[in-house]
Amino acid sequence: MRQIQTTLNTITPQSTRSPSYSHNFCGGLPVTRQNRLQPPRLLLTCAMSLDNVGSIILVLSGKGGVGKSSITTQLALSLSLRGHSVGVLDVDLTGPSIPRFFGIENAKVRQAPGGWVPVPVHEAHALQHSATDSADGTSKDHHHMGALHCMSLGFLLGNRGDAVVWRGPKKTAMVRQFLSDVHWGQLDYLLIDTPPGTSDEHISLVETLLKNARPGQVAGAVVVTTPQAISISDVKKELNFCKKTGVEVLGVVENMAGFVCPNCAECTNVFSKGGGEIMARDFGVPFLGSLPIDPMFVSLIEEGKRPVYPKGTTVAGNPVEATSNGTPAQHREVQNGSLADKYTSCSLYPIFDGIVTELVAKISKT
Amino acid sequence: MAPFMDPPPLTSVDTALTAHTTATPALVAPEPEHCPGPESNLAGKDDACAGCPNQAICASAPKGPDPDIPIITQRLAGIKHKILVLSGKGGVGKSTFSTLLAHAFASNSANTVGIMDTDICGPSIPKMMGVEAETIHVTSTGWEPVWVSDNLGVMSVQFMLPNRDDAVIWRGAKKNGLIKRFLMDVEWGSMDYLVVDTPPGTSDEHLSVNSYLKESGVDGAVLVTTPQEVALLDVRKEIDFCKKAGIRILGLVENMSGFVCPKCTHTSEIFRATTGGGRRLAQDMKIPFLGAVPLDSRIGMACDFGESFFDNFPDSPTCKALKEVVKNVGKEMGVKEEDVLGEDMFPHVKTLTASSVSSAKEESPVATPLAQARKVLGNDTLEAQRAVIEVRNDAVKYVDTATTYANYSKDQAVEALTENERLKMKVAKLEREGILEQREFMHTT
């Protein structure tokens, strides 16, 4: 089991003089150009760690393998690109994927007096280049990025191949610990990625949140599905779970709706089509959007390569910015840049931007 | 209070693995956080037990072996081969692979095959087999599995749900109880193969299935994965679990490896294998690699309709790859090659049994909806996907639609599906009133 290092021996003199500064961001983090731009964040040592979290969003799906972790990652990146501070909690104890998605598999969790400190993906900073330039030359307001932190059991495992063979009560205890003993600090949004099913983790998650969160703090759940009828029948159970436990469903996202052949740009519906929208309509919940399978996103996560598309690619009817021949994006190198920066070149980013706009509007309305 | 994460000692894993083999006392309160398990040797004596209302019960409960295990062993004595289908990751195709494996074994009419669906929260097997609307028949000797065909039976929690879309919100202990009942109360009889489909992860269901079946013996586990590293990460954990639990690994199957575009037939990697895929993992972990199965969108369609993919699309490259995988599974189990698959794996026309209620029922065999669509619109499978299938019945006209509407506009597609839903409800109402026999629509719902 990996040792959780306390930060007592990494406190710099500056931080001991001003006890209100957090210990954690001075020690252990590589001091990059981005870090130096901003002063260390204030971490209030609060009794209940969820007190300073703005809204909590659960990402649920009854079915496995529909893309919950991918969508949580993309939601987190999109929210962060809009300037919000985001935390991601990975409650999938037997299969924690979030560290790999953010590319921080080898990071360690730090322990401060009173709790664990979530691992930072990036701090609040300004992006060097603005994101997509629209046709009329005005650049969108995406140059200030919020901080992004995450917490997962994956960081606490000694060996990445070790199985987590736990019975229900221990999983319940771990989920409660994640919610109460982690220093989330000041966050606008906390996204919680869940395992498939409706079992111990989900029950304890909802129970603990209903007990500890402020009324209205749990904004709701985003339910993910694929269009196939098999997935729909499992996800319907999840929607019934939300209804039973009183969790509001913010919307349904349909993932893997179509695969664009990289050779001929023909979109094939590998897992059928349309099921998610019908289900959302049947249950009276909003339908947030339909996402195709984008192999470039996979290569971004797996290899860290900035997405590059052949000319003429369209996603959901909109042309993707052609990055292969002498366009404004030419000066951007393929490998350089943070994950969030590279994500802005992904074809799924505009779709997620739309989804996030809708979600933020909905949450701020309630 | 500073939280800490002490490394789970090896003993706790062993305790978890053997917990289900001892008798469970009846508890009066939920188990506390670090409960060693009411069945373990430390029950009632561990540090975590102090203050638990169950402490006295656990400490005084008899610690002998579970008396139900011999009953289970006896029930399963007639089953020659038991196969577990595992994968740490969700959505890689465990249930799909289980149904295909079962169909493949059942194609040899001399084999009797059963599938047990231990995925309590997301039971997909009944839908994939086309028997979602069935219920379990209880006899004096036990529960009767639902028979899809003469030699293929299914057991799943889906049959027990009052409403198809009801969520099963159970904690681990209750799920274990149900799995025990599946093993104890279901009359499997004498079977050649029992395929056990599991949910993703390494949790209660896997632990309980492993412990209950330990005495009766499992031939081994087939692990399913997709090529990308995110999936392999979880499968590594599953392999670790199998090693710790002493389950023999028959091999690793790589699903969804490669996609052939139906338009330009260019093969592309839909889920890229950045670290060598399943093949490399099998090599590293020294387990047999059973084969790589390409992604075919028609598998998803066949599962949604509850049809057998082998029967409907025998000329697909996926079909050939799957046959190879099944042959390799048989080889690993030590079964003779000619006994595994049927002599001809080609489509046979399924006959719907005549309904005594509807007097004008056609006597001639009726082909399955997918086969009908292909016949009507030619063999171009892309066209078949876009077909609207009509199954005539004197009582009601049932319009079932294929799930892709590439030629329709969005409004037309939504309209067609709404009409479909409305007619389905009408059919369900007629079934409830006894006017239509449910079995007729086994292949169309």
Side-chain angles (χ1 to χ4, degrees), chain B residues 50-95:
Chain B
C52 173
N54 300 314
Q55 191 179 14
I57 300 173
C58 289
S60 59
K63 299 265 185 318
D66 193 342
D68 295 329
I69 302 248
I71 305 177
I72 294 175
T73 314
Q74 199 193 22
R75 276 283 195 193
L76 302 177
I79 302 178
K80 293 202 192 103
H81 301 282
K82 300 178 210 68
I83 306 167
L84 298 178
V85 179
L86 300 173
S87 173
K89 184 94 178 68
V92 296
K94 286 179 293 308
S95 298

Side-chain angles (χ1 to χ4, degrees), chain A residues 1 64-65 100 111 160 163-164 168-169 171 198-200 207 228-230 236-237 240-241 266 270 272 302-303, chain B residues 3 7 31 90-91 158 165 167-169 171-172 175 202-204 229 233 237 240 259 263 272 274 300 304 403:
Chain A
M1 179 59 61
R100 178 155 183 94
Q111 186 175 347
R160 73 200 285 263
V164 175
K171 289 201 280 187
T198 49
S199 189
D200 295 276
E207 258 176 8
Q228 216 186 349
I230 297 282
K236 276 188 195 166
K237 296 187 162 85
N240 278 326
F241 168 81
E266 156 96 0
V270 282
S272 313
E302 303 266 313
E303 295 163 322
Chain B
E31 300 166 25
Q158 180 71 31
D165 298 331
V168 182
I169 314 174
R171 289 196 188 269
K175 289 196 275 188
T202 49
S203 193
D204 290 277
E229 178 62 23
L233 201 57
K237 297 190 168 84
D240 189 40
F259 172 70
K263 186 175 170 193
R272 276 197 65 201
T274 45
D304 284 356
T403 43

Side-chain angles (χ1 to χ4, degrees), chain A residues 25 194 201 237 269:
Chain A
F25 297 98
T194 56
E201 293 96 333
K237 296 187 162 85
N269 295 315

Side-chain angles (χ1 to χ4, degrees), chain B residues 397-441:
Chain B
K397 186 165 147 184
Y398 181 86
V399 178
D400 195 1
T401 47
T403 43
T404 54
Y405 295 93
N407 273 344
Y408 284 48
S409 74
K410 188 174 167 191
D411 293 326
Q412 280 178 318
V414 168
E415 201 187 83
L417 279 168
T418 318
E419 176 70 11
N420 180 31
E421 289 304 310
R422 195 183 64 78
L423 282 165
K424 268 194 191 164
M425 277 167 47
K426 194 170 174 189
V427 167
K429 180 164 173 286
L430 289 165
E431 283 168 2
R432 276 197 302 271
E433 291 167 5
I435 297 171
L436 268 184
E437 254 208 59
Q438 274 191 350
R439 258 184 102 73
E440 280 181 37
F441 292 90

Side-chain angles (χ1 to χ4, degrees), chain B residues 5-313:
Chain B
M5 173 81 151
D6 49 350
L10 277 169
T11 48
S12 77
V13 172
D14 290 341
T15 321
L17 287 169
T18 55
H20 302 277
T21 53
T22 50
T24 317
L27 303 177
V28 297
E31 300 166 25
E33 283 187 14
H34 296 285
C35 172
E39 314 92 348
S40 84
N41 289 333
L42 295 169
K45 302 182 188 113
D46 197 53
D47 293 335
C49 299
C52 173
N54 300 314
Q55 191 179 14
I57 300 173
C58 289
S60 59
K63 299 265 185 318
D66 193 342
D68 295 329
I69 302 248
I71 305 177
I72 294 175
T73 314
Q74 199 193 22
R75 276 283 195 193
L76 302 177
I79 302 178
K80 293 202 192 103
H81 301 282
K82 300 178 210 68
I83 306 167
L84 298 178
V85 179
L86 300 173
S87 173
K89 184 94 178 68
V92 296
K94 286 179 293 308
S95 298
T96 314
F97 183 71
S98 305
T99 46
L100 290 168
L101 193 62
H103 274 298
F105 286 144
S107 65
N108 183 355
S109 47
N111 288 334
T112 312
V113 187
I115 298 194
M116 187 168 84
D117 185 7
T118 57
D119 192 345
I120 311 288
C121 297
S124 320
I125 299 281
K127 193 171 173 79
M128 289 185 180
M129 288 289 189
V131 289
E132 211 180 357
E134 300 284 324
T135 49
I136 300 174
H137 184 52
V138 180
T139 64
S140 56
T141 44
W143 297 358
E144 182 81 15
V146 172
W147 294 97
V148 174
S149 68
D150 286 337
N151 61 345
L152 179 53
V154 180
M155 179 48 60
S156 169
V157 76
Q158 180 71 31
F159 303 129
M160 296 161 41
L161 295 176
N163 216 344
R164 199 161 61 171
D165 298 331
D166 274 349
V168 182
I169 314 174
W170 288 358
R171 289 196 188 269
K174 205 163 171 187
K175 289 196 275 188
N176 293 339
L178 181 65
I179 293 174
K180 204 185 211 184
R181 297 206 69 186
F182 276 172
L183 289 167
M184 246 178 22
D185 293 342
V186 174
E187 201 179 341
W188 295 105
S190 69
M191 269 190 177
D192 294 280
Y193 300 96
L194 178 65
V195 179
V196 181
D197 183 32
T198 56
T202 49
S203 193
D204 290 277
E205 296 93 334
H206 309 84
L207 289 169
S208 61
V209 161
N210 176 50
S211 351
Y212 297 143
L213 291 180
K214 207 160 202 115
E215 220 180 276
S216 46
V218 170
D219 278 39
V222 174
L223 290 160
V224 185
T225 182
T226 47
Q228 76 267 49
E229 178 62 23
V230 172
L232 296 177
L233 201 57
D234 289 346
V235 173
R236 265 178 247 268
K237 297 190 168 84
E238 195 74 20
I239 296 175
D240 189 40
F241 166 75
C242 287
K243 291 205 170 113
K244 284 192 178 129
I247 304 174
R248 182 185 158 211
I249 300 179
L250 291 172
L252 181 70
V253 178
E254 188 183 82
N255 200 11
M256 306 195 206
S257 70
F259 172 70
V260 178
C261 177
K263 186 175 170 193
C264 66
T265 65
H266 171 83
T267 314
S268 48
E269 281 183 323
I270 191 168
F271 298 116
R272 276 197 65 201
T274 45
T275 51
R279 216 175 283 267
R280 173 85 175 274
L281 178 66
Q283 219 174 13
D284 289 342
M285 296 279 172
K286 300 191 184 32
I287 52 179
F289 183 69
L290 297 171
V293 179
L295 176 62
D296 191 332
S297 47
R298 296 170 296 180
I299 298 187
M301 249 179 48
C303 286
D304 284 356
F305 277 102
E307 308 278 347
S308 164
F309 178 72
F310 283 124
D311 290 350
N312 284 296
F313 304 105

